[in-house]
Amino acid sequence: MLPRLLRKARQSPTAAACVCGAAVSALLGRGEWAHAQEDCTDCAGSAQQSSGSGEAAQSNRHSTAKWRVYTDRARQLHQQGRVEEARAFFESAVKEAEKGFGPEDEHLAASYQNLAELLRINGEFGGAEELYLKAIKMLELKSQKRASPSSGTESKFEGNNFISEPVRQKALATTVDRLCGLYLQMRPKRLDDARNCYQKALRLKIEAFGNDHIEVANTLASAAQVSRLQGRQRQSIDMLGQSLDCLLRNQGNEDETGRMILNDSLMILFRRRTLQLANLLLRQERGAGTQGAEFVLRRLIKLTLQSQEHDGKSFGEEELLAKDHQLCNLFCQSLVASKDGQRCAEAVKLLRRSVDNIASVSRATGSGLQGDLLECAVRRQLADAYLCVALDSPSEKRKKILEEVQKLNLEKLIGTVEHWWDNLRGKQGLESLKTKRLFVPVTQELLMHLHLAARYEREQGLLDSKRRSELLSQVVRIAEALHVMPAASCHEA
């Protein structure tokens, strides 16, 4: 297969020259190389003129064809999980790009980025960073030469590459963004580098794609994650909000009735970021923050229902929330945080249905730790909602409400969550990825259960000084455990 493709490329200057499009495809990562392909025939002619004739031209065309074949083969191998074989082909592609296109060509930058991505996935962060920086420097130098008054270049395309400056700007912005992602993956040590990098990537993406492009929305969301991990919660909230607004302005479509409709893939993205934003608002603020959380969640519910109705799947808000436990959890949390009796009563209604739904699913399919954690969280929220309703209720009704809370057996729930927490904390150094991922939500759940227990016992007149000391000692023990965790994980908890 490989020799046949190479023979075809040697015999056809057009085939050899047209690989210029693949460089842009590799740099942008989404196949955005129409600028190169549409002038493919002219590209071939220019390649023949610039490459000279005879053996030198033949060698140059041979290298460009090999670059394309090696790159495609490496990607195939990498998708199959054959990492070391893919690495060898990516390294060969780098060598062929140097021979066939020269040391300043976008094909070489694309080869650097391909190899960098493989190294990043393989955990070889140092080598990946070096290659990303090489690709970025190469693209920046190209743009600087293009912009220089002494260059005298006025044509849309340059040399035999036929890569326009707007496409190169997009490639540069995308490459910088990938370097930022590498720094984020290397947290907590490189969070400052990630923060500075995303500031640069955001500026480049706005210049290359425009203010409302999904690429800008994605970079805003990643930058928000960095701010959250650094404890800059207000900045994280602002950037996540901008990301959501950007998605709606650029990607949302209206149906014939004027309602906003999001496609399935965008709906998944919009949902995930809305839940992140609502969680931040609820954890960091009160008053206006809880109202903001309720607003963004109601917007998500409305858009979800409209999009599903557009697809012929019509059902109501209660049914949606009964199925989507994470959305229901946060939405009810925002209702309870308002301290409004009517909203809290709405939360009680939704959470009781959610508890029944979770229990039926658990009986039918069983559940692991994450499923059990969800059930504990929903029952804890139901108790919280009941206490909220009890605040403004007459004494007789208040007594009945507290009996409902008692039926939830909060003491048993706290014991269960504390058992999970002790078990996860006991794992050596929290080195297990699964343990790290579960430790933060279990810690959050345990703290919220302790807070709820204090509220409930105070309502019952049972919170004496001895019990208050017991609860405080448990909180201190949790705080001491958090001190041995990385800073980024502590911010999450």
Side-chain angles (χ1 to χ4, degrees):
M1 180 67 176
L2 182 62
R4 178 159 55 83
L5 288 171
L6 295 179
R7 283 198 302 274
K8 182 179 179 182
R10 286 200 298 269
Q11 293 164 3
S12 170
T14 303
C18 283
V19 296
C20 59
V24 185
S25 176
L27 286 166
L28 293 178
R30 288 173 174 80
E32 300 178 34
W33 53 294
H35 296 285
Q37 272 200 329
E38 64 191 13
D39 289 284
C40 209
T41 305
D42 295 333
C43 182
S46 177
Q48 284 181 296
Q49 293 172 8
S50 62
S51 299
S53 57
E55 293 182 3
Q58 178 105 354
S59 175
N60 192 42
R61 289 198 300 271
H62 193 198
S63 292
T64 58
K66 288 170 72 175
W67 174 85
R68 176 62 183 272
V69 173
Y70 288 157
T71 299
D72 288 347
R73 182 59 178 153
R75 287 175 175 172
Q76 291 172 357
L77 290 167
H78 192 239
Q79 289 173 353
Q80 296 169 9
R82 296 157 67 179
V83 176
E84 291 307 313
E85 293 174 79
R87 184 202 299 263
F89 274 100
F90 275 137
E91 289 173 346
S92 296
V94 170
K95 295 175 183 177
E96 296 302 332
E98 289 172 340
K99 290 192 293 183
F101 300 102
E104 296 182 357
D105 191 271
E106 284 85 352
H107 297 75
L108 183 56
S111 295
Y112 284 152
Q113 189 177 141
N114 286 332
L115 184 55
E117 186 67 7
L118 182 143
L119 295 178
R120 181 193 68 78
I121 294 172
N122 209 37
E124 300 175 49
F125 297 143
E129 180 185 11
E130 182 181 352
L131 290 169
Y132 277 130
L133 290 172
K134 280 185 177 181
I136 290 168
K137 183 177 180 180
M138 191 177 297
L139 292 168
E140 287 177 335
L141 286 174
K142 272 282 191 179
S143 293
Q144 289 169 8
K145 288 182 179 180
R146 172 82 176 179
S148 173
S150 61
S151 65
T153 304
E154 297 181 357
S155 63
K156 183 178 178 183
F157 302 106
E158 303 172 22
N160 68 342
N161 295 327
F162 278 67
I163 296 177
S164 67
E165 182 57 24
V167 173
R168 184 182 294 112
Q169 289 177 352
K170 292 179 180 179
L172 174 60
T174 303
T175 308
V176 171
D177 188 81
R178 290 185 178 180
L179 175 64
C180 304
L182 174 68
Y183 290 147
L184 178 56
Q185 192 173 350
M186 297 167 71
R187 63 183 180 269
K189 293 182 179 179
R190 304 298 295 271
L191 278 178
D192 286 338
D193 291 324
R195 175 180 168 80
N196 295 332
C197 184
Y198 275 123
Q199 289 176 351
K200 178 179 179 179
L202 186 59
R203 174 178 56 79
L204 290 172
K205 281 199 173 183
I206 290 173
E207 292 173 357
F209 294 95
N211 286 316
D212 294 334
H213 198 278
I214 191 170
E215 286 287 343
V216 175
N218 291 341
T219 297
L220 280 167
S222 297
Q225 184 182 1
V226 173
S227 293
R228 178 177 61 82
L229 292 171
Q230 290 187 314
R232 305 172 190 266
Q233 307 300 340
R234 185 65 255 176
Q235 285 186 355
S236 183
I237 288 169
D238 290 343
M239 285 187 285
L240 265 179
Q242 291 175 47
S243 176
L244 290 169
D245 291 342
C246 183
L247 287 176
L248 287 177
R249 286 195 303 268
N250 185 255
Q251 302 295 317
N253 299 306
E254 293 184 353
D255 65 4
E256 62 277 4
T257 66
R259 298 174 304 177
M260 183 68 72
I261 302 297
L262 305 180
N263 63 44
D264 290 344
S265 59
L266 184 61
M267 195 71 241
I268 292 171
L269 190 63
F270 189 82
R271 175 188 178 278
R272 182 170 70 245
R273 291 180 188 170
T274 296
L275 297 182
Q276 291 171 353
L277 176 58
N279 193 39
L280 281 172
L281 287 166
L282 288 167
R283 287 171 57 189
Q284 299 302 319
E285 301 181 6
R286 291 293 180 266
T290 58
Q291 292 174 13
E294 184 181 346
F295 169 77
V296 297
L297 291 167
R298 285 193 185 277
R299 181 177 65 178
L300 173 60
I301 292 167
K302 180 181 177 181
L303 289 172
T304 302
L305 292 174
Q306 288 178 179
S307 296
Q308 294 191 348
E309 184 178 348
H310 182 76
D311 294 336
K313 306 172 184 175
S314 180
F315 49 81
E317 179 180 307
E318 288 189 19
E319 187 177 354
L320 169 66
L321 291 171
K323 292 179 179 179
D324 191 335
H325 303 302
Q326 191 176 9
L327 175 56
C328 182
N329 188 312
L330 282 173
F331 181 59
C332 291
Q333 194 175 335
S334 72
L335 295 176
V336 173
S338 70
K339 304 299 182 185
D340 177 79
Q342 191 172 350
R343 283 186 168 88
C344 292
E346 181 184 355
V348 167
K349 183 179 179 182
L350 293 169
L351 288 165
R352 288 181 66 172
R353 183 168 179 174
S354 185
V355 166
D356 293 341
N357 186 270
I358 291 172
S360 63
V361 171
S362 180
R363 285 193 299 269
T365 62
S367 61
L369 175 56
Q370 288 178 311
D372 292 339
L373 183 62
L374 173 63
E375 184 172 358
C376 278
V378 174
R379 289 183 179 277
R380 185 254 310 156
Q381 277 205 299
L382 178 56
D384 204 11
Y386 274 133
L387 291 177
C388 175
V389 174
L391 286 174
D392 298 323
S393 299
S395 58
E396 191 62 34
K397 184 178 179 181
R398 182 173 170 274
K399 182 180 179 181
K400 291 182 179 179
I401 291 172
L402 293 178
E403 288 175 356
E404 292 296 325
V405 176
Q406 189 174 11
K407 291 177 184 178
L408 292 171
N409 202 344
L410 295 182
E411 188 175 347
K412 181 180 178 181
L413 290 177
I414 290 176
T416 300
V417 178
E418 191 168 12
H419 171 74
W420 293 336
W421 188 80
D422 282 328
N423 184 41
L424 291 171
R425 187 172 64 97
K427 294 190 176 179
Q428 187 173 354
L430 300 176
E431 291 300 326
S432 160
L433 178 61
K434 183 178 179 181
T435 299
K436 284 183 180 179
R437 188 171 67 248
L438 289 173
F439 187 76
V440 170
V442 170
T443 300
Q444 292 172 344
E445 192 59 33
L446 179 56
L447 287 170
M448 286 187 283
H449 269 283
L450 292 172
H451 179 259
L452 176 64
R455 282 187 58 201
Y456 174 65
E457 291 176 22
R458 185 168 57 246
E459 287 288 334
Q460 295 281 65
L462 302 174
L463 191 63
D464 56 18
S465 57
K466 180 181 178 182
R467 178 57 176 159
R468 188 178 290 109
S469 297
E470 289 176 356
L471 292 171
L472 182 60
S473 66
Q474 287 178 288
V475 173
V476 169
R477 188 165 70 98
I478 295 168
E480 289 173 348
L482 290 176
H483 279 304
V484 303
M485 295 177 68
S489 296
C490 286
H491 283 305
E492 291 183 23

